Amino acid sequence: LYLAHNDLHELPTTVGRLAGLQLLQVAHCKLRRLPSEVGALLRLRWLMVHNNRQLDELPSTVRKLTRLEGLDARKTGLRKRFVRLGICRGRCSFSTNETLTYRVSGCCFGS
């Protein structure tokens, strides 16, 4: 689901009904938070939230995303909180390489 480059301040809770969703692209929006219903996206493989500078918290339900292969959270406030949630299981790459987005298996954070 590609919703990038929109004036979204929040995702609707109905996003959790998209059971087969594998990629959620909400980069370059104005998100402040993600709804807890994101945790119902059990087939989600990629979560792209980069350039949402006010996004500094993930719902605890993201722990349910066991198929998550990558999170692009560059230019957000998520780095410390995401590590604390422990969903990367050692697959995180905290690179500041601004070109690093889709080609890594893991999570990418930047400045």
Side-chain angles (χ1 to χ4, degrees):
L1 179 61
Y2 186 87
L3 298 172
H5 297 278
N6 281 294
D7 194 24
L8 292 174
H9 292 273
E10 62 183 53
L11 286 177
T13 57
T14 53
V15 72
R17 295 183 193 163
L18 303 172
L21 195 65
Q22 293 187 25
L23 180 133
L24 180 57
Q25 169 61 281
V26 289
H28 297 275
C29 294
K30 295 180 181 177
L31 294 175
R32 294 186 177 121
R33 66 175 199 87
L34 295 176
S36 62
E37 288 79 5
V38 167
L41 302 174
L42 299 180
R43 293 191 176 145
L44 195 68
R45 294 176 52 217
W46 284 93
L47 179 57
M48 314 306 285
V49 295
H50 56 283
N51 291 294
N52 282 287
R53 294 184 185 272
Q54 294 182 352
L55 184 64
D56 64 357
E57 188 171 348
L58 287 177
S60 62
T61 57
V62 296
R63 290 184 180 135
K64 297 177 183 178
L65 304 178
T66 58
R67 294 186 183 182
L68 193 66
E69 295 176 21
L71 170 77
D72 187 342
R74 290 172 291 137
K75 297 185 181 180
T76 68
L78 287 175
R79 179 178 177 162
K80 290 179 184 176
R81 292 179 189 248
F82 190 74
V83 171
R84 194 172 15 194
L85 286 172
I87 64 171
C88 267
R89 293 183 300 281
R91 296 179 298 175
C92 290
S93 170
F94 301 112
S95 174
T96 57
N97 178 352
E98 291 302 317
T99 63
L100 186 63
T101 303
Y102 293 103
R103 59 188 178 89
V104 295
S105 177
C107 309
C108 43
F109 295 88
S111 55

